[in-house]
Amino acid sequence: MRPSSGLPPATAPISEAFAALGVDETALNAIAALGYSGPTPIQAAALPRLLDGEDLIGLAQTGTGKTIAFGIPLARSIDPGRDEVQAVVMVPTRELANQVKDVIEHLGLFYGFTTLGLVGGSRVRSDLIALERGAQVVVGTPGRVIDHLKRGTLRLDRVHFVVLDEADAMLDIGFARDIDYILRTVPKQRQTALFSATMPTSIARLTYRHMRKAETVEIEPEQRTAAGVRQFYCEVSDREKFFALRHIYEEHGLGRTLIFRNTKIGVDKLTDQLVAAGVHARAIHGDLRQGQRDRVMQDFRSGDLEFLVATNVAARGLDIPDIENVINYDVPQNAEEYIHRIGRTARAGKQGASYSFVGEWDLDFWDVIRNEVGDENLEYLKLPARWD
């Protein structure tokens, strides 16, 4: 279906490279309107296979263009004349759901279909009104999708295209049973695309149970360290990490800073400590209501908030510009997550710094990260022997 009248014309040149992948003219115009001029590696690898109707496992980091990689084949599969849900995209967080929904809605303007977001934190009544209007594509978090399935307000028995985006993150926060339930609800005769930054055993089991001879494409990050980021680390016991943070804050100066902890309990505890010390800090994790999360992010983006303390999962999909520092209060458990974290700073050619607090329980994980990143890219930060 061609764009309806009144749509803005494409402003970027239509890419021959996209056309060579099998992308049709409607999608080329939609891509050009987004400003793309050529495919990213994951798009080049995934698009031909998905356009041919294959199941696909795509291993790629966040921010590599995965939404377009699955969005175009999804959009081409939709029949706008059928007033029923034909495709579902599952993501781990509300923020990522909103980002993906924006892209799919953009494609829908060109192909003539409608998209609905179903995420926790929004009013169920609003969902019901939107579901009554109807949509061909649902983008949602597993918990809210299952809520509507059990209420009988959502039907997925006509779905022929399923996407699991950031699948490892969804399993990390306990959505394994929910995803299994949803995949058993949709028809077996469907196309399934799964995208993940890593391939743990839990993902392998999921693909074995629910995908058909899926081909795996893996895109290595273009660089294993983040350009423009000075990477500091210090060895400090767990009980002294807060004092290490205070020392860096007082001696080195910190601007807008994103601090990572590995658990929600840890996030809340550290935030309380910072607030008690007079630091303007807020927490963000999955237990916050959507309105709370939105206010926190608005304050952080505006500069009113100095420190944002977050878990890995909560930080995925967040649009956080101009972060000056990243602090790994807890060392991540793999090199991919480390690189993803520190890549939150030094964006758009700017400079930034990361600080990793390596405690006694972090040494095994840190050895793996050091081997991957390289000692030449890491600077040891010596801390005072004692703090007042």
Side-chain angles (χ1 to χ4, degrees):
M1 180 172 178
R2 300 292 300 162
S4 61
S5 59
L7 270 176
T11 56
I14 295 176
S15 169
E16 293 182 4
F18 271 114
L21 299 174
V23 175
D24 63 5
E25 185 179 355
T26 301
L28 289 174
N29 280 286
I31 294 168
L34 289 172
Y36 281 90
S37 58
T40 66
I42 188 61
Q43 291 165 1
L47 275 167
R49 295 170 173 86
L50 290 175
L51 288 170
D52 282 344
E54 300 176 17
D55 280 10
L56 180 85
I57 301 168
L59 301 180
Q61 302 298 309
T62 302
T64 52
K66 292 178 291 180
T67 307
I68 287 294
F70 64 74
I72 291 173
L74 180 154
R76 279 183 46 169
S77 75
I78 301 299
D79 180 355
R82 291 168 48 200
D83 188 17
E84 55 195 11
V85 178
Q86 301 167 45
V88 60
V89 182
M90 304 307 307
V91 298
T93 66
R94 290 166 285 201
E95 288 79 14
L96 184 57
N98 290 332
Q99 290 187 32
V100 171
K101 177 174 170 285
D102 287 345
V103 175
I104 302 300
E105 279 186 332
H106 173 80
L107 294 172
L109 291 175
F110 287 78
Y111 282 91
F113 63 82
T114 57
T115 304
L116 171 64
L118 294 176
V119 298
S122 61
R123 293 182 177 180
V124 173
R125 179 172 176 80
S126 299
D127 290 350
L128 296 176
I129 294 172
L131 285 164
E132 185 67 25
R133 295 194 192 105
Q136 284 89 25
V137 180
V138 165
V139 179
T141 51
R144 181 53 66 94
V145 169
I146 286 182
D147 183 19
H148 283 289
L149 286 173
K150 291 183 176 180
R151 289 171 181 265
T153 51
L154 174 66
R155 294 181 57 180
L156 299 180
D157 56 323
R158 300 295 183 181
V159 165
H160 60 255
F161 203 112
V162 174
V163 179
L164 304 176
D165 194 15
E166 303 280 0
D168 53 348
M170 284 195 284
L171 297 187
D172 282 346
I173 54 179
F175 280 140
R177 290 186 177 180
D178 291 346
I179 293 171
D180 188 70
Y181 181 94
I182 293 167
L183 292 178
R184 285 187 285 107
T185 299
V186 298
K188 291 184 178 181
Q189 296 301 315
R190 65 174 188 271
Q191 184 176 6
T192 307
L194 180 148
F195 290 86
S196 180
T198 59
M199 189 67 172
T201 303
S202 55
I203 295 289
R205 286 198 296 264
L206 180 70
T207 60
Y208 177 79
R209 287 197 303 267
H210 295 292
M211 299 182 75
R212 304 171 293 122
K213 299 179 180 178
E215 184 172 354
T216 300
V217 297
E218 183 172 4
I219 306 300
E220 289 292 335
E222 293 183 4
Q223 55 188 29
R224 298 306 293 166
T225 58
V229 183
R230 291 190 67 183
Q231 301 173 59
F232 299 96
Y233 74 98
C234 56
E235 296 175 351
V236 57
S237 67
D238 278 356
R239 63 185 177 85
E240 293 179 333
K241 284 185 177 182
F242 186 76
F243 299 102
L245 177 58
R246 190 182 74 181
H247 170 75
I248 293 172
Y249 180 74
E250 293 174 351
E251 298 297 324
H252 295 262
L254 294 173
R256 184 160 23 191
T257 300
L258 177 59
I259 305 177
F260 283 102
R261 296 219 63 179
N262 291 342
T263 66
K264 290 182 284 188
I265 293 174
V267 166
D268 287 335
K269 181 179 178 181
L270 178 57
T271 304
D272 289 343
Q273 286 179 287
L274 288 167
V275 171
V279 177
H280 194 189
R282 295 285 297 278
I284 187 163
H285 53 62
D287 287 350
L288 297 182
R289 296 190 299 273
Q290 186 62 45
Q292 294 174 306
R293 293 163 70 99
D294 291 343
R295 285 192 294 273
V296 170
M297 293 311 305
Q298 182 179 354
D299 289 345
F300 194 64
R301 292 190 186 103
S302 68
D304 292 338
L305 181 61
E306 194 171 10
F307 280 5
L308 182 66
V309 188
T311 57
N312 288 331
V313 173
R316 290 201 186 199
L318 294 181
D319 179 20
I320 314 174
D322 298 329
I323 292 174
E324 298 172 54
N325 303 279
V326 169
I327 294 178
N328 291 309
Y329 198 91
D330 297 323
V331 171
Q333 297 181 5
N334 57 68
E336 288 79 11
E337 198 63 63
Y338 172 83
I339 293 166
H340 175 76
R341 286 183 181 186
I342 70 172
R344 291 291 185 158
T345 187
R347 294 192 170 186
K350 297 181 180 180
Q351 300 297 305
S354 68
Y355 300 86
S356 297
F357 297 166
V358 183
E360 57 266 38
W361 308 110
D362 300 321
L363 294 175
D364 289 342
F365 296 135
W366 185 246
D367 285 344
V368 173
I369 292 169
R370 288 182 67 169
N371 288 335
E372 182 69 27
V373 174
D375 282 337
E376 69 276 10
N377 295 309
L378 297 168
E379 301 180 49
Y380 180 71
L381 182 64
K382 185 175 177 58
L383 296 170
R386 295 178 64 184
W387 292 275
D388 294 332

